[in-house]
Amino acid sequence: MELFDSHVHYEDAMFDADRYDRLRHLKNTDVKYIMNCCSDESVFDTVTDICSKYDFAYGSIGVHPHWALSASESYLEKIRELAKNEKIVAIGEMGLDYFWDEPKDLQKKVFIRQLELSKELNMPVIIHDRDAHEDCFEILRKYKPQGVVHRYGGPTEYIKEAFEWGMYVSFNNDLTYPAWNKAHIDVLNVTPWDRLLIETDCPYCPPFERSEDRCEAYDVANVVKEIAKLRGVSEEFVAKVSMENAKKAYGIRD
């Protein structure tokens, strides 16, 4: 099988000691492509460096809501400039996260400005929505962006609305965690095959049976296995459709 992990974080500090060794190792796995997403300005250069070093790596540039307080006055100009790189194919991840204590008004401001920039640049977005479903989708439906709602576990009516304006949703090993997988399984069950992506969000969220380990992109194979079991199809089918969908979502052509 050939796999596209549509959401990784090899720029994360958890990979500082062995980042490039682990990326090189991916060539020995079934992972053919990765989308290295971005958290904040401090890792903009690392994301672009990863994309420049590996032909299988694409990236996004943006400010995650958890880092809204640290966004500089020039963050939008930095994103605009880096988005000229042909390997940077999305803006994000961006959105709202009410699990932590960052000011909600500031999160919304940073979110909206990045959505406006994505419209200006005609680029897809990667959306982060944690415990903020109503506010997040109130904003999204005003802009109706193209792109991906990643690791979504909110009300199914919201994601079905996003499908109508062309967005995708990505699933990871949340599906394997008994304590919180029901919401993700509910979303999986209403997701058309042509809207489905797979991801790890590594180094976070390894498979349940390895919950204390650092996750890596090759663990996306376990996501394929779980989706195939839950939806009653072959792993090869899940791998194929998620590969096709990820390429369409990010405008990637071989």
Side-chain angles (χ1 to χ4, degrees), residues 197-215:
L197 272 61
I198 56 175
E199 62 155 275
T200 56
D201 205 12
C202 76
Y204 308 101
C205 203
F208 176 68
E209 62 272 15
R210 292 181 27 239
S211 59
E212 299 303 315
D213 295 347
R214 180 178 67 176
C215 187

Side-chain angles (χ1 to χ4, degrees), residues 21-34:
D21 286 341
R22 303 318 300 158
L23 284 162
R24 284 192 293 270
H25 173 70
L26 291 180
K27 292 189 175 182
N28 302 319
T29 74
D30 288 335
V31 176
K32 185 174 182 181
Y33 297 107
I34 61 170

Side-chain angles (χ1 to χ4, degrees), residues 167-204:
M167 295 201 77
Y168 298 80
V169 64
S170 57
F171 297 90
N172 70 359
N173 280 301
D174 285 327
L175 294 168
T176 69
Y177 283 73
W180 65 69
N181 65 359
K182 183 183 183 303
H184 298 279
I185 293 173
D186 288 346
V187 173
L188 176 66
N189 287 335
V190 302
T191 298
W193 287 116
D194 65 352
R195 298 289 106 190
L196 180 144
L197 272 61
I198 56 175
E199 62 155 275
T200 56
D201 205 12
C202 76
Y204 308 101

Side-chain angles (χ1 to χ4, degrees), residues 9 16 53 55 60 69 90 95 100 108 112 116 118-119 123 140 146 151 170 173 179 187 192 203 205 208 216 236 238:
H9 286 287
D16 281 354
K53 281 184 165 66
D55 57 1
S60 70
L69 279 169
W100 303 106
K108 291 177 182 178
I112 289 169
E116 291 172 345
S118 75
K119 288 291 187 180
M123 293 181 70
L140 285 174
Q146 298 301 294
R151 199 175 173 178
S170 57
N173 280 301
V187 173
C205 203
F208 176 68
E216 296 203 37
E236 289 75 13
V238 176

Side-chain angles (χ1 to χ4, degrees), residues 27-190:
K27 292 189 175 182
N28 302 319
T29 74
D30 288 335
V31 176
K32 185 174 182 181
Y33 297 107
I34 61 170
M35 169 61 64
N36 202 105
C37 300
C38 187
S39 58
D40 67 291
E41 290 174 82
S42 72
V43 296
F44 281 6
D45 289 344
T46 306
V47 172
T48 55
D49 187 53
I50 289 169
C51 294
S52 69
K53 281 184 165 66
Y54 301 98
D55 57 1
F56 60 82
Y58 291 83
S60 70
I61 293 291
V63 176
H64 185 292
H66 187 51
W67 282 270
L69 279 169
S70 64
S72 72
E73 293 183 0
S74 61
Y75 76 96
L76 286 174
E77 288 307 313
K78 292 178 182 177
I79 294 172
R80 182 182 284 106
E81 185 62 28
L82 291 171
K84 296 176 183 177
N85 186 323
E86 64 180 8
K87 296 295 291 295
I88 300 300
V89 295
I91 307 298
E93 63 185 286
M94 66 175 82
L96 301 176
D97 191 324
Y98 292 172
F99 183 80
W100 303 106
D101 296 327
E102 286 74 14
K104 293 179 181 179
D105 287 348
L106 178 60
Q107 288 190 48
K108 291 177 182 178
K109 182 178 179 180
V110 172
F111 183 21
I112 289 169
R113 286 182 172 177
Q114 290 181 95
L115 284 172
E116 291 172 345
L117 180 61
S118 75
K119 288 291 187 180
E120 174 191 329
L121 300 178
N122 193 29
M123 293 181 70
V125 298
I126 298 171
I127 300 299
H128 175 101
D129 169 19
R130 187 179 189 188
D131 295 346
H133 311 308
E134 184 175 353
D135 284 356
C136 188
F137 278 83
E138 181 180 359
I139 292 169
L140 285 174
R141 68 175 57 96
K142 292 178 182 178
Y143 291 90
K144 293 183 170 59
Q146 298 301 294
V148 181
V149 183
H150 113 92
R151 199 175 173 178
Y152 179 74
T156 57
E157 60 265 28
Y158 289 155
I159 198 66
K160 287 192 286 187
E161 185 179 356
F163 294 152
E164 292 177 1
W165 71 69
M167 295 201 77
Y168 298 80
V169 64
S170 57
F171 297 90
N172 70 359
N173 280 301
D174 285 327
L175 294 168
T176 69
Y177 283 73
W180 65 69
N181 65 359
K182 183 183 183 303
H184 298 279
I185 293 173
D186 288 346
V187 173
L188 176 66
N189 287 335
V190 302

